[in-house]
Every structure is written in C-alpha cells, then in structure tokens.
Amino acid sequence: MVMDINEIREYLPHRYPFLLVDRVTQLTVGEAIVAYKNVSINEPFFNGHFPHHPIMPGVLVVEALAQVCGILGFKTVNKLPADGYVYYLVGSDNVRFKRPVMPGDQLVLEANVIRGKRGIWKFACRATVDGELACEAEIICAERKVA
C-alpha cells in the first residue's frame, strides 16, 4: 500500500460522496500512479443510474481518473490542498468507454504523465476492471492557487 484513504484525503479536497479513490497502490512522482475504487451498490448514483440495471456513470469514471491525476500532480510538485491549491479538470480528449462498471467491481485507475508545464498537466489514463479496459482518456488538469 502506497497511500491509504487518510493520506488520499490530504491530497484531494473531495469528500463523500465525491471522493472516488479508495487506495493508491503505486506512485512514481512525476511519472505514474495506480489506484483503485471499490464500486459498491451503496453509491448514491446507483439509485437513479439505473435502478434495475445499475452502472457507474461514465462521467464519474472520468472524474475518478481526474482525481488520481490530481494526486499525482500534488505529489509531484509537493503541494497540498491545505496550502491553498487545487487541481481542476480542464479538459479530456479521446475518451472512450469499453465496458460498463457495475456494483461489486474494483475499478483500477491508472494515469501516466504525458507532459507538465507551468501548472498544466496532461495524462494518459486507463480504467480497468479485472484487467479489462473500461475507459481510456487523455486528461488535462490545471494547478491553481485558491486561498
């Protein structure tokens, strides 16, 4: 285990029900991160998406990927939300969904730095379930001082 939920909460400003990363299992500063989210039927979005065939909304899979990008960005520049910084999701390119994510799945979230310059980061991201690709995307995040 590289980061448990307590350390993740130091690096992400998100809280329930929007914190979508449960554990970080690998992290190479400035390069890559691997984390996961355990998808439970108790997630609030399953009440409406869809009651008789629950699947995790694709936008939340992308958000989970963006959150791991934020963790990697914060770790790389050695800053924290407590220091008054956030990472905004500012873009996504080439987003493709390959399989639905359902209750009981463990969503593995991977991000690799493509480039970072002046607080703007681009990542190659993948989300998998049992080794099967669920989503891939290029995600762009921007570091901003907010406090």
Side-chain angles (χ1 to χ4, degrees), residues 46-124:
F46 284 135
N47 289 326
H49 198 269
F50 302 99
H52 300 294
H53 182 68
I55 61 172
M56 184 174 181
V59 296
L60 293 181
V61 175
V62 173
E63 172 64 25
L65 289 168
Q67 288 182 19
V68 298
C69 293
I71 293 169
L72 180 56
F74 275 127
K75 281 283 201 177
T76 298
V77 299
N78 197 28
K79 294 179 182 172
L80 293 168
D83 301 326
Y85 291 92
V86 295
Y87 273 87
Y88 288 127
L89 170 62
V90 296
S92 57
D93 296 317
N94 304 315
V95 178
R96 297 290 180 266
F97 299 99
K98 304 294 187 175
R99 89 180 284 292
V101 178
M102 297 183 265
D105 286 344
Q106 185 175 74
L107 187 63
V108 177
L109 307 160
E110 303 173 39
N112 292 282
V113 173
I114 296 172
R115 69 179 163 273
K117 189 174 185 178
R118 291 191 298 257
I120 307 292
W121 295 84
K122 187 168 188 176
F123 303 88

Side-chain angles (χ1 to χ4, degrees), residues 2-65:
V2 174
M3 292 175 70
D4 67 9
I5 193 63
N6 294 315
E7 189 175 1
I8 289 167
R9 288 166 50 102
E10 291 177 27
Y11 284 87
L12 287 177
H14 308 78
R15 295 296 178 262
Y16 177 84
F18 223 70
L19 179 58
L20 300 174
V21 181
D22 291 326
R23 178 156 296 161
V24 174
T25 57
Q26 299 173 39
L27 192 145
T28 304
V29 171
E31 293 181 24
I33 187 170
V34 179
Y36 64 80
K37 171 171 184 37
N38 292 313
V39 181
S40 166
I41 190 61
N42 295 324
E43 307 285 350
F45 49 79
F46 284 135
N47 289 326
H49 198 269
F50 302 99
H52 300 294
H53 182 68
I55 61 172
M56 184 174 181
V59 296
L60 293 181
V61 175
V62 173
E63 172 64 25
L65 289 168

